Amino acid sequence: MKVIRGAVDEMWSIIGQMTSSVFRHGLPLTDKIAARTALTNFVLHIHPVRVRRSWIRMSYTLCLGGLTFFLFIVLTVTGLYLMFYYVPSINHAYQDMRDLQFVVTFGGLIRNMHRWAAHAMVITVWLHMARVFLTGAYKKPREFNWGIGTVLLLITLLLSFTGYLLPWDQLSIWAVTVGTNMAKYAPIAGPYTRYLMLGGHAVGDATLLRFYVMHVVGLPLVGFLLMVVHFWRVRKDGFSGGL
Amino acid sequence: MATEAADRIAARQRVEARRRQLEAPTTVRDDSEDEMIVSFPEFIFKEFIAAVAMTVFLVVVSIFLQAPLLGQANPGVTPNPSKAPWYFLGLQELLSRFPPLMAGVAFPTFVIVLMILVPFLDRNPSRRPSERKVAIILFALYMAIVVALVIIGTFFRGHEFIWDWGWVLGNPQTCGGRAC
């Protein structure tokens, strides 16, 4: 009996050690432990430990920057799911889209979420910019972060644009044809830029691969690195709230 | 004599008051609300709620609204009108009105550079809306133009990108004469 009780106690203590090893802090029962939670937790450490109430008022930020980042995460996750079924070749792409829509479990839902989240991200990133402008939050010492934000806005547009081609339907091929034709008008570099984007003179197999690679690796990587700097500067320059 | 001295003192006081006004924080804080709090859990909880709300919104929209998928891409059949994605329709609208070098290259480049330089061009240190009317009016104008161009390009440009009241409502896109 005693042996069994000993064994059970031992098991509980092992389970306790396992669960407590996940978090580097206890339950946030006091302010001190709550502060340590924000400080030592990997997911939470990008937040400041202490904030002024006015900084985090929803009527000030409208959560727009945070929602933009959250949409980026949603797009990454749903995008991964789509990548399992999608082959970026003109012989497969369209049929893969049909399969995603009609055959793959949750394929249609995930594709819809990816599509609408992308549109939503373009909108939230614009609104975030508008909010930052209207509250004058770009002023010293945040001039540089405003510049990074502008580049992130452009990357969002490019991500959305490269994704537009991938379904390989009549909407995508002609939208991208119209879009890349705009690049043609730049003096001297224009035609070369267009050739570089398309991998040829017209939208085709090479274009699909280029847009795919930029869409799933190139632009998200650059975007992610700039986001890291963007958030780091928000922390270091201080929250702009408290208007 | 005495009035002149008084005037000078008053002027100096005005300058002094103006200087103090410039140096002082331009924001009026509501101290009752503005205490320091631990960001966990209140701040993180707010973010969490926003994320959950957005997830619910996306799932519901995605259940009821199908993402478009037209017929397979066909380089031989051009839809009429051919349109860029909606966020580039403002640019396409400009291209239909101005010379391509100006609308397609010079103008967007200018706007992007201008946007990055905004913090350095805006010399006004104040963040109060009432003290930055010019900046706010200019920005509102910019946003209004962008939104108007996108709306025109999306809804009011029909065949051959010619003006069409209610293109989306009444006149379908055609591919080589037939409906897409």
Side-chain angles (χ1 to χ4, degrees):
Chain A
M1 205 59 206
K2 209 169 184 183
V3 177
I4 294 173
R5 195 173 297 150
V8 169
D9 283 350
E10 191 63 26
M11 207 175 72
W12 273 118
S13 83
I14 289 173
I15 291 172
Q17 196 185 346
M18 279 175 172
T19 49
S20 66
S21 75
V22 176
F23 296 103
R24 303 183 62 228
H25 42 75
L27 287 172
L29 299 175
T30 66
D31 260 17
K32 200 175 169 190
I33 305 176
R36 212 190 302 148
T37 304
L39 195 65
T40 62
N41 186 298
F42 175 73
V43 180
L44 305 180
H45 85 275
I46 54 171
H47 300 89
V49 174
R50 282 169 188 283
V51 289
R52 286 201 185 282
R53 208 176 277 283
S54 65
W55 295 352
I56 60 166
R57 214 181 284 144
M58 273 201 193
S59 59
Y60 178 76
T61 64
L62 305 171
C63 287
L64 287 167
L67 281 179
T68 307
F69 179 55
F70 180 68
L71 285 169
F72 180 78
I73 295 170
V74 169
L75 285 160
T76 308
V77 174
T78 52
L80 275 176
Y81 190 80
L82 297 176
M83 278 172 77
F84 291 140
Y85 299 98
Y86 177 85
V87 178
S89 135
I90 58 174
N91 295 323
H92 296 100
Y94 186 70
Q95 194 52 51
D96 290 344
M97 294 308 293
R98 304 280 296 186
D99 285 351
L100 269 165
Q101 199 125 334
F102 301 113
V103 183
V104 175
T105 311
F106 293 123
L109 182 72
I110 297 287
R111 168 168 133 74
N112 289 347
M113 277 182 75
H114 196 77
R115 183 87 172 197
W116 303 134
H119 287 324
M121 190 175 163
V122 172
I123 294 168
T124 55
V125 85
W126 267 100
L127 292 178
H128 175 57
M129 185 194 73
R131 194 281 293 170
V132 169
F133 188 95
L134 293 176
T135 56
Y138 56 81
K139 298 190 177 192
K140 205 176 173 186
R142 302 185 189 83
E143 306 98 314
F144 186 68
N145 219 13
W146 166 270
I148 293 178
T150 313
V151 178
L152 279 168
L153 169 71
L154 293 177
I155 286 179
T156 307
L157 291 179
L158 286 176
L159 268 167
S160 197
F161 183 61
T162 48
Y164 220 81
L165 180 67
L166 304 184
W168 200 247
D169 64 349
Q170 278 290 71
L171 192 64
S172 22
I173 184 174
W174 292 105
V176 168
T177 303
V178 172
T180 50
N181 272 342
M182 291 175 190
K184 202 169 56 182
Y185 300 119
I188 307 162
Y192 298 104
T193 311
R194 184 165 181 273
Y195 189 87
L196 191 71
M197 282 161 82
L198 297 184
H201 291 291
V203 179
D205 220 354
T207 318
L208 194 53
L209 188 59
R210 279 176 193 212
F211 272 50
Y212 179 76
V213 171
M214 288 313 283
H215 186 75
V216 303
V217 184
L219 291 167
L221 199 66
V222 177
F224 184 77
L225 288 175
L226 285 175
M227 272 178 233
V228 169
V229 181
H230 197 64
F231 302 156
W232 184 75
R233 282 300 292 250
V234 170
R235 277 291 308 273
K236 293 294 166 184
D237 297 337
F239 283 30
S240 71
L243 192 65
Chain B
M1 255 342 237
T3 51
E4 202 179 300
D7 279 354
R8 217 180 296 138
I9 289 166
R12 199 176 297 144
Q13 277 171 347
R14 270 203 305 277
V15 169
E16 190 66 16
R18 178 74 187 139
R19 195 181 61 79
R20 245 183 277 123
Q21 203 186 343
L22 284 175
E23 282 174 358
T26 48
T27 53
V28 180
R29 285 182 180 279
D30 179 5
D31 282 338
S32 62
E33 270 251 296
D34 209 12
E35 47 172 336
M36 270 291 197
I37 54 167
V38 181
S39 58
F40 183 85
E42 188 169 323
F43 178 31
I44 284 134
F45 185 68
K46 275 186 175 178
E47 290 182 323
F48 179 71
I49 292 294
V52 169
M54 180 52 95
T55 309
V56 171
F57 171 75
L58 274 178
V59 170
V60 170
V61 167
S62 300
I63 287 171
F64 293 106
L65 216 56
Q66 284 298 318
L69 187 66
L70 305 182
Q72 184 162 10
N74 185 350
V77 179
T78 314
N80 192 353
S82 292
K83 291 190 177 186
W86 62 269
Y87 37 82
F88 286 152
L89 279 181
L91 216 55
Q92 198 177 349
E93 176 65 26
L94 286 177
L95 272 168
S96 73
R97 288 165 183 267
F98 297 101
L101 185 63
M102 198 174 125
V105 183
F107 201 67
T109 311
F110 175 74
V111 169
I112 292 165
V113 171
L114 193 70
M115 260 176 59
I116 292 175
L117 291 181
V118 154
F120 307 102
L121 298 174
D122 181 0
R123 308 306 300 168
N124 178 1
S126 173
R127 287 183 54 202
R128 272 189 193 155
S130 60
E131 289 172 1
R132 38 197 304 266
K133 289 197 178 99
V134 176
I136 287 177
I137 288 171
L138 285 176
F139 185 77
L141 209 63
Y142 166 59
M143 286 300 260
I145 290 171
V146 170
V147 171
L149 287 176
V150 168
I151 289 175
I152 289 171
T154 309
F155 296 106
F156 301 123
R157 288 288 177 180
H159 289 261
E160 305 296 330
F161 218 68
I162 291 166
W163 192 281
D164 183 346
W165 291 106
W167 169 75
V168 174
L169 304 172
N171 303 297
Q173 200 166 28
T174 53
C175 292
R178 286 178 294 111
C180 290

